[in-house]
Amino acid sequence: MAHLEKASTECFAEAVLANPAALAHAKAGRWYQAAGVIGFICRREVDRMMQAHDAIQGPGAGQRYFRTVYAKRLDRDLAARLRQWLERQSVASVEPRNEQTVKAAPE
């Protein structure tokens, strides 16, 4: 099951990085909102995870798992997955640019 959860989280992470609105939420630490912005992009991965839970624990178990356990951990898991990328982007955006002073040519 862990590989199905990881596939879902990876999908959410990639989708957040590809969506400017979701990325803005992520940069502000609003991970659940960031995942919410992307909507049904990761539906296939989430469905596979829920179907596996249903197969093992009975009908409806996957939906309950997704809405409770998985959703409660998603913000932490996305933060861990994207933290390094977001920190690298923040550092890159505050570094001084390497500019050379251009003198005006005499008229």
Side-chain angles (χ1 to χ4, degrees), residues 24-107:
H25 282 299
K27 286 179 180 179
R30 296 184 303 266
W31 299 101
Y32 190 76
Q33 292 87 339
V37 167
I38 60 173
F40 292 97
I41 292 173
C42 299
R43 190 81 228 164
R44 184 178 64 192
E45 290 81 357
V46 170
D47 282 347
R48 286 181 184 154
M49 179 178 61
M50 290 191 311
Q51 289 167 357
H53 278 277
D54 285 349
I56 293 171
Q57 299 168 345
Q63 183 80 7
R64 283 190 304 275
Y65 179 80
F66 177 73
R67 291 181 183 232
T68 58
V69 176
Y70 183 81
K72 288 178 183 176
R73 288 193 328 228
L74 184 58
D75 60 342
R76 183 197 67 204
D77 292 345
L78 282 176
R81 169 67 175 79
L82 298 176
R83 182 168 288 123
Q84 186 178 27
W85 186 89
L86 292 173
E87 287 173 355
R88 197 170 50 238
Q89 294 301 310
S90 294
V91 169
S93 67
V94 296
E95 290 180 358
R97 290 176 32 183
N98 187 8
E99 295 182 17
Q100 295 179 351
T101 305
V102 178
K103 295 183 180 179
E107 293 182 23

Side-chain angles (χ1 to χ4, degrees), residues 9 11 16 58 62-63 81 105:
T9 303
C11 180
V16 166
Q63 183 80 7
R81 169 67 175 79

